[in-house]
Amino acid sequence: GDAHYDVISAFIKSLRGSDPDAAVYWLHLMLEAGEDPEFIVRRMIVFASEDVGLADSRALGLAVDAGAALAYVGLPEAGYAMTHAALYLATAPKSNSVATTIAAARRAVAERPSPSVPVHLRDASYAGAAKLGHGDGYRYPHDFPGHIVEQDYWPDGQDPVVLYRPSQEGAERARAEWFAELEAMAKRDRDRA
């Protein structure tokens, strides 16, 4: 009945709330009750991106590894890997920027006209692409300082929209600072042009 959904909800909310003891309690309640361990691992994998995200990108790999351990050794031994993953997820810094970025991207796709890929971004790897002008004007980022160059990456006729707003949590803070430096370099490049 509803207990299936209520208990997994309590587990996820304990992970999100950074309570490792409660998270492990709910995890083992589910395992002892015979809950499908693959269902639990799938929820941990989703949680790793949805609630930890870029604050600690290692969380996703650890959750996937728990699934691999489950497939490889089965229960009860996979309980070690599942507990390991649950403890890691509960104690990791949290960021929901992946989830908010997905929501913003879906809104942008739904609200904007059908896109036209700019010529400089079109696939130029096949015979005949050059005759069509595909790739003309593309600026290869690795040829520029910091491996970034100012150019339009959005569909023709559409203004860019900010979809990703980094958090200041965990490793995402350093990523946000690094990205701000790259944007400043690209702006300097644009100002010189």
Side-chain angles (χ1 to χ4, degrees):
D2 289 342
H4 165 81
Y5 298 104
D6 289 343
V7 175
I8 196 68
S9 177
F11 175 59
I12 295 301
K13 288 173 180 168
S14 298
L15 293 173
R16 187 177 296 132
S18 299
D19 188 330
D21 298 318
V24 170
Y25 172 82
W26 293 115
L27 169 65
H28 284 276
L29 179 71
M30 289 185 286
L31 291 174
E32 293 298 317
E35 178 64 75
D36 179 4
E38 290 180 6
F39 168 72
I40 300 168
V41 170
R42 284 193 302 270
R43 294 301 307 143
M44 287 196 287
I45 291 169
V46 172
F47 180 88
S49 283
E50 182 179 15
D51 288 287
V52 176
L54 295 172
D56 187 344
S57 292
R58 295 171 297 186
L60 178 57
L62 195 61
V64 169
D65 288 347
L70 177 62
Y72 190 69
V73 300
L75 288 177
E77 291 85 354
Y80 289 104
M82 292 173 72
T83 301
H84 181 160
L87 289 170
Y88 193 94
L89 294 171
T91 58
K94 308 296 189 288
S95 170
N96 70 342
S97 67
V98 171
T100 59
T101 301
I102 288 171
R106 287 180 174 163
R107 275 192 310 277
V109 168
E111 295 170 358
R112 290 169 162 243
S114 294
S116 174
V117 176
V119 171
H120 69 283
L121 296 181
R122 292 184 184 176
D123 180 16
S125 66
Y126 61 92
K131 289 180 184 177
L132 298 171
H134 290 195
D136 284 354
Y138 175 67
R139 300 173 76 194
Y140 187 60
H142 296 296
D143 289 342
F144 294 86
H147 302 256
I148 188 169
V149 62
E150 184 72 23
Q151 67 184 325
D152 189 8
Y153 292 102
W154 282 83
D156 282 333
Q158 292 191 25
D159 292 329
V161 176
V162 175
L163 303 176
Y164 170 59
R165 289 180 171 80
S167 78
Q168 294 298 307
E169 303 305 317
E172 194 167 18
R173 177 189 314 221
R175 182 178 300 275
E177 291 168 0
W178 173 79
F179 193 71
E181 289 177 31
L182 290 180
E183 286 180 319
M185 289 174 67
K187 182 183 178 317
R188 284 191 299 273
D189 177 59
R190 182 178 64 241
D191 293 344
R192 280 192 298 248

